Amino acid sequence: MGNTNDHGTGRRAAAALLPLLLAALTACQSGGGQEPGGGAKATPSATPVFDVRLDDQLSAATRATQAAGTARFTSTLSYGSAKGTAVDRASGEQDYARDLARAGRELTVPRRFPADAAADLGARPGEKPVTESYVVEGNQVDYRTRQGGWLRYSSQASMDVVDLYDGILQRAGDAAPYGGTLAEVVRNADATKQPVKAADGSRTYELTVTPQIAAPALPESLQGPLKYDKGSARIALTVVLDEQGRLRRASADYTPALERMHEEGLLKGVTSLKAEYSLTGLGSTRSPGPAGGGAKAEDAEKALTPLTEVEPGACGSADTGLGGSLLLVRVVPCGTEADLRVFGQVKVNETVQGDPDGVAQRKAGDRCGAKFDSAPRAWVADARPRGTYFTYGAGAASFAYTGPDVDVEGDYTCYVVTSGRL
């Protein structure tokens, strides 16, 4: 599950999923020059899709789609509950030949949606939609901050931080320039029965895939239970190819995977989970331009700071494109741009007997409480809710070879929330 992190008042602790899997970012490139309308020329696939073996047709369809040159896309995840449906939708343009995409994302969570599930999605119920903008080029992803600047994430970053980028680097795809969609699932799926052919020559495939193959279309923070699950029911997948064998639509029902997610404490209260993907304007869509119309993007590795290294009294912003994670923040002037203010850093290094679970978190919470009481008023006056502080960090335990002694240690940050965005 990764490290355990506190994010609560006093002694309240919450577990954060921090998958440390480096994204594979090799892009398939095809296509040719530009048509008068701005789209890349379509390049015919070497072998017609419907002439290859049935179990190879969907991977062949990926190649045929890439050969179209450009396309507009929409990718949607719908999280259903008894109190409404949260919708996460991304849409934009992509150029397969240049391995380039520009996309906007909007996450809408209804007011009565389960709060813990909303937190898993990086939002809170009933608040205005989360909106984000990305430009993906090859193995790098540019994210636009609320202030209009751009942060650049690259798989070539140092090993100290690149594992922490996995959630955003997922947006650099293999099957298409913009990743984290059903295009990645279709690419690796094997059809097992003949598709239904429509009058216009399109084909519809009905099949199922393993949870492992289905995982890449979900946010990285939700993929763990699927990636390592051997026993869950398979995921139903529907794929529609046009008369040329190019991907037009895909949909998948992830509801069977929810039971496993619930066991891991994820998406509690969510009763259905469905994904959709569609492509339009194949070969006729204008190729997207560079980030910010050519504006220089800032290297995220240089721009971001681990929260555990932020100096007491300094303020930070979680507007990083990392899904609300506080592992890395932008140190910013205190004021409207800031989401939090650090008032202390504490270390835990204790020897205890018996069960060490929660010991480091509790001791960190107690020490942060003492620092909160003695902090300069200016550092904590804007706390939301008033008088509330939080701790964030990672604890570890090591057991002695003999005897009941257990060493617990960890680094924790004491902070207050200063905006309504966390």
Side-chain angles (χ1 to χ4, degrees), residues 95-266:
D95 185 326
Y96 298 94
R98 295 172 60 198
D99 203 5
L100 177 67
R102 179 182 288 271
R105 172 179 174 253
E106 181 174 281
L107 171 62
T108 304
V109 181
R111 182 174 60 84
R112 301 179 65 195
F113 192 79
D116 287 347
D120 291 337
L121 303 179
R124 292 195 294 190
E127 297 199 339
K128 68 178 184 178
V130 175
T131 57
E132 298 175 337
S133 297
Y134 299 92
V135 172
V136 182
E137 186 169 6
N139 62 359
Q140 70 183 27
V141 179
D142 290 357
Y143 166 77
R144 189 177 188 271
T145 68
R146 289 188 295 264
Q147 284 65 46
W150 292 85
L151 289 174
R152 175 161 295 167
Y153 294 87
S154 172
S155 64
Q156 302 304 312
S158 73
M159 293 303 296
D160 291 339
V161 298
V162 73
D163 286 340
L164 306 181
Y165 295 172
D166 208 34
I168 194 166
L169 288 180
Q170 178 191 18
R171 303 190 190 283
D174 291 334
Y178 188 87
T181 72
L182 283 176
E184 308 296 333
V185 179
V186 171
R187 174 176 178 256
N188 292 309
D190 295 331
T192 55
K193 63 179 181 180
Q194 292 293 335
V196 175
K197 184 177 180 180
D200 62 0
S202 65
R203 266 83 159 179
T204 299
Y205 297 75
E206 301 284 351
L207 63 150
T208 62
V209 295
T210 64
Q212 293 93 330
I213 288 178
L218 297 181
E220 181 65 32
S221 60
L222 301 179
Q223 290 183 22
L226 279 72
K227 284 182 176 179
Y228 307 110
D229 182 21
K230 302 294 184 182
S232 285
R234 293 170 69 93
I235 306 301
L237 176 67
T238 300
V239 180
V240 179
L241 307 183
D242 66 13
E243 71 282 1
Q244 298 180 51
R246 304 175 302 185
L247 178 61
R248 286 294 188 174
R249 296 187 303 279
S251 61
D253 187 353
Y254 286 81
T255 303
L258 284 173
E259 181 178 358
R260 184 75 181 89
M261 291 185 180
H262 292 165
E263 291 173 357
E264 296 293 330
L266 293 169

Side-chain angles (χ1 to χ4, degrees), residues 209-390:
V209 295
T210 64
Q212 293 93 330
I213 288 178
L218 297 181
E220 181 65 32
S221 60
L222 301 179
Q223 290 183 22
L226 279 72
K227 284 182 176 179
Y228 307 110
D229 182 21
K230 302 294 184 182
S232 285
R234 293 170 69 93
I235 306 301
L237 176 67
T238 300
V239 180
V240 179
L241 307 183
D242 66 13
E243 71 282 1
Q244 298 180 51
R246 304 175 302 185
L247 178 61
R248 286 294 188 174
R249 296 187 303 279
S251 61
D253 187 353
Y254 286 81
T255 303
L258 284 173
E259 181 178 358
R260 184 75 181 89
M261 291 185 180
H262 292 165
E263 291 173 357
E264 296 293 330
L266 293 169
L267 298 184
K268 288 293 186 70
V270 173
T271 55
S272 67
L273 174 52
K274 297 182 179 180
E276 297 179 350
Y277 184 72
S278 64
L279 292 174
T280 59
L282 283 163
S284 62
T285 299
R286 183 175 296 277
S287 179
K296 182 176 176 58
E298 190 174 6
D299 184 351
E301 185 169 3
K302 297 177 181 177
L304 303 183
T305 303
L307 186 60
T308 52
E309 296 178 9
V310 176
E311 293 291 332
C315 291
S317 170
D319 179 25
T320 60
L322 296 175
S325 169
L326 296 182
L327 275 172
L328 297 170
V329 299
R330 291 188 297 120
V331 176
V332 298
C334 296
T336 56
E337 187 178 350
D339 296 316
L340 58 89
R341 190 166 193 167
V342 172
F343 62 86
Q345 300 284 3
V346 299
K347 288 184 177 291
V348 174
N349 193 344
E350 303 282 337
T351 298
V352 300
Q353 293 185 343
D355 185 0
D357 250 10
V359 170
Q361 292 90 338
R362 289 193 297 272
K363 289 188 175 294
D366 292 343
R367 293 171 188 179
C368 282
K371 285 186 176 292
F372 181 82
D373 292 339
S374 62
R377 176 165 176 74
W379 291 6
V380 298
D382 294 332
R384 297 189 182 187
R386 179 177 290 277
T388 303
Y389 70 88
F390 298 87

